[in-house]
Amino acid sequence: MKYFFPALMALVILAGVSLALTPYIAEQFFPASKTTLRTADPERAKQALANWFGTEPANMINVQASSQTSAQGNASWFMFETERAAVEYFIRQNGLTQQDLSTDILQSTFMTQQPPAPWWQPATLERETYFKGTDNSRDIGLIYHAELKKGFLIVRTYQKPAKF
């Protein structure tokens, strides 16, 4: 009995120290701020866009895609060429609204987070409007040039804070 309370006190102190250090040690092995950037397989991206746009994969041309995953959320960038009807279907399906496209909006919506890819150039379409909306906790931004049949799409999903 003489060593019981000192041993119990040592155990409690060690438990407290280990609980205090656990987040720092865990951060070394499982970083919360880890960001991964991937370039998508063009065929898989083409199939995904075809499903979203309600068209055949053969109608999606020159598809490029990248995605980024981080603790804050996910972002996906797409460049594509397709007919206007498929884009109209996508806009209606997702309830996108047409908005004026200023330089500030172009910068904040399409260029703040961008993939390090030379193909991501939405400003080259020289549009005055874009389409935006929110669907199932996803923010969607679309710039499309009907005469060139070319578009740029960005989809962002933000992580919701955990509830305690």
Side-chain angles (χ1 to χ4, degrees):
M1 238 354 168
K2 178 178 171 181
Y3 298 109
F4 176 72
F5 289 111
L8 181 62
M9 189 167 32
L11 181 65
V12 169
I13 291 171
L14 285 174
V17 169
S18 66
L19 286 174
L21 294 177
T22 298
Y24 301 106
I25 295 169
E27 180 69 21
Q28 296 301 315
F29 296 105
F30 308 104
S33 60
K34 182 179 178 184
T35 300
T36 57
L37 183 68
R38 295 183 327 207
T39 300
D41 173 41
E43 287 304 312
R44 291 183 68 194
K46 182 186 286 193
Q47 182 64 49
L49 283 177
N51 290 342
W52 286 355
F53 283 73
T55 189
E56 295 296 318
N59 295 336
M60 301 304 286
I61 303 167
N62 296 329
V63 174
Q64 298 285 332
S66 285
S67 66
Q68 180 181 25
T69 304
S70 70
Q72 293 76 29
N74 304 326
S76 298
W77 300 270
F78 300 91
M79 181 191 73
F80 60 91
E81 293 178 23
T82 193
E83 295 295 323
R84 180 182 178 140
V87 175
E88 289 173 352
Y89 172 83
F90 179 77
I91 291 168
R92 283 192 306 276
Q93 282 297 111
N94 292 289
L96 303 182
T97 58
Q98 190 169 13
Q99 307 281 323
D100 290 334
L101 181 62
S102 66
T103 306
D104 293 336
I105 296 289
L106 182 67
Q107 194 66 30
S108 65
T109 302
F110 292 93
M111 303 303 281
T112 53
Q113 278 185 312
Q114 62 181 3
W119 54 263
W120 183 254
Q121 301 290 329
T124 60
L125 295 182
E126 298 178 355
R127 301 283 63 194
E128 294 180 4
T129 62
Y130 77 109
F131 298 91
K132 78 174 207 173
T134 302
D135 174 43
N136 296 332
S137 73
R138 296 181 304 177
D139 288 340
I140 301 171
L142 171 69
I143 298 177
Y144 182 72
H145 194 295
E147 289 81 30
L148 297 175
K149 300 178 184 176
K150 186 174 183 178
F152 291 90
L153 173 68
I154 185 167
V155 180
R156 288 192 183 104
T157 306
Y158 298 101
Q159 300 289 20
K160 295 180 181 175
K163 294 182 180 177
F164 294 101

